[in-house]
Structures are given as structure tokens and as C-alpha cells.
Amino acid sequence: MKLGLALSGGAVRGAAHVGALMAIENAGLAPEVVAGTSVGALVGALYASGIAAGDLALAFGEIGWSSLLGPRFPKPLSLFDGAPTERLLRERFGLSTFAALRLPFAAVACDITAGHEVVLRDGDVVDAVRASCALPGIYPPIARGEQLLVDGGIVNNLPIDVVRAMGADVVIAVDLLPPWRALGAPESLAEIWERSLNLLVRGNHPAADAAEVLVQPAIAAFSLTDFGGVDEMIRLGRQAAESALAEAGLGGVR
């Protein structure tokens, strides 16, 4: 049985991915292939490089927007510079190429020129992660040959099918997109943006039964941009994964 891991997009809610990984490790499970979209690609690449979930939890608690965003003035195709994210991944975490990773890994992006999904599995892993996380208008797109790559959440926010294509027989999928719920009229530009993004991304999500184990942390109350809730999101991610794994009869808490 080859175990695969699919990690969705979700911005700062990606902290819940770390909690889910902690539960997976604690259950004695070892995913053999990993695919991620947006923040799922970031967490997935770090995990595939061999960084333990506990160390990822410590790192997530120290990261803030100051370490991820460049100058706050418009670039030709984005509001922010992606150089700080690149430095973080290369210098602090030591990411380099897909070939240097310990586990097979794929990052999902979208070619904004052709309008289709691009699955990245070779070359520079930092550029692949940056492409998968390049929310249009916020982070700059990444050029790859004739392609111009942006956030994969536009086309495939929960890449269960990619993990299957990598040979996984059993897929654990961690979905950070909360179910839609009526909230009344939005009160800020940020709320309009977040709700619109939720609706856009939910349109490309697979069916709930597409994975053998579906982990859905209860993180709807947390903003996509608030690092203040990282510790609680890690806890909720771990809690949700423990419940989902127990229900599926996978592993046992060590």
C-alpha cells in the first residue's frame, strides 16, 4: 500500500496542515508521495525535504508577513515582491531542487497564459513553491519557459488526483477550505476578497469521497491572513486528523 498526502491551499490556515502532519506522524504513518497547492505546496515541500512536523510547527510560529512580503508598492504584475519568501525557503529551510527532496513531491500551479493546470515535479523546487503560492495580483507570477505560473488554487486547490497519478493507493487529503456559510453583508474589502476567493476555489474541489481519509479542520473562524491564530490552527489540524485517521482505521497513536 502506497500512502499519499494531498494538501490544499489556504494561506495562513496552512498552519492546520502542520497539525495534521503531527497526527499522521504520531499514528506511525509515513506518506510516500506528497502533492500540494499554494500553502499546501509550501508545507508539502518542507515535509518532503525531511523536516519533521514538530519542527515545522516551531517554524510556523515564528513566521510572519514581514518574512514573506517584499516592499509594499506595486510591481508590474503584483503588489508585493516574492524575494523574501525565496530567501526564507532557500536560506532558512535549505530547499533547492526536487531531486534533493527525500520524498516525491508535486506542486500545483496555473499557467495564466494558457489557462490550465501545471503540475511541477522537477527543477527548482523553490520556484515551484513560489509559483503555486503566487496569488494573482499579490505575489508575482513565475516564468517557466513560455509559461507564466500563478497560484494553483485557481485550477486545483486539493490535488488528490495528482497524488493518485504519483502512484498512491491510499490518499490522506487535508482540506483547509471551510464549507460555505451565509455570513451577512461583508464589512470590508478584505472580507469581500476572502469570500470571493472561497467561492472561486470551491468550484474546483474534488468530491468529499475522492480520498480514503479526508481531514477538514474546523478553522472557518480564522482569517486567511492572521498569524495570531497559528497555534490554535495547528491544534485543530491535529485534532481533525486524529479523528479522521481513527475513523479510517489507519495507524495507532504512539
Side-chain angles (χ1 to χ4, degrees):
M1 177 187 79
K2 179 176 282 190
L3 182 63
L5 182 64
L7 303 176
S8 83
V12 179
R13 289 173 178 158
H17 281 322
V18 177
L21 288 171
M22 294 172 75
I24 291 167
E25 286 185 354
N26 200 44
L29 299 171
E32 296 177 68
V33 294
V34 182
T37 298
S38 200
V39 73
L42 189 152
V43 174
L46 295 175
Y47 188 70
S49 75
I51 300 175
D55 293 330
L56 286 177
L58 293 174
F60 236 94
E62 297 171 0
I63 294 173
W65 285 118
S66 61
S67 62
L68 296 175
L69 295 177
R72 188 183 290 270
F73 54 82
K75 299 290 183 179
L77 295 176
S78 67
L79 291 175
F80 296 100
D81 184 5
T85 301
E86 180 170 5
R87 287 195 297 270
L88 181 76
L89 295 175
R90 293 193 194 280
E91 297 173 11
R92 176 167 180 176
F93 295 112
L95 293 185
S96 56
T97 65
F98 280 85
L101 299 175
R102 295 188 182 182
L103 296 175
F105 167 70
V108 176
C110 172
D111 180 1
I112 200 67
T113 62
H116 60 67
E117 174 184 350
V118 177
V119 178
L120 303 168
R121 293 196 58 189
D122 56 32
D124 190 304
V125 73
V126 173
D127 283 349
V129 170
R130 287 184 58 206
S132 187
C133 294
L135 190 64
I138 304 299
Y139 278 114
I142 301 298
R144 181 180 166 109
E146 296 182 357
Q147 298 173 330
L148 195 61
L149 304 179
V150 298
D151 196 302
I154 297 173
V155 288
N156 189 354
N157 195 55
L158 184 58
I160 295 172
D161 59 335
V162 175
V163 178
R164 296 275 188 214
M166 295 169 74
D169 303 302
V170 174
V171 178
I172 300 173
V174 186
D175 179 9
L176 304 185
L177 188 66
W180 178 260
R181 57 194 179 104
L183 296 171
E187 298 180 355
S188 68
L189 178 61
E191 282 189 43
I192 291 177
W193 176 78
E194 188 165 323
R195 293 191 203 181
S196 299
L197 184 64
N198 185 312
L199 286 170
L200 170 69
V201 172
R202 182 149 294 285
N204 67 46
H205 264 230
D209 61 356
E212 283 70 28
V213 182
L214 181 62
V215 180
Q216 294 179 299
I219 52 175
F222 295 91
S223 166
L224 292 170
T225 60
D226 184 10
F227 277 96
V230 161
D231 289 343
E232 179 63 6
M233 285 188 279
I234 290 175
R235 185 189 72 80
L236 291 169
R238 181 169 184 169
Q239 181 183 75
E242 287 173 347
S243 296
L245 291 171
E247 184 176 345
L250 285 178
V253 177
R254 296 183 294 180

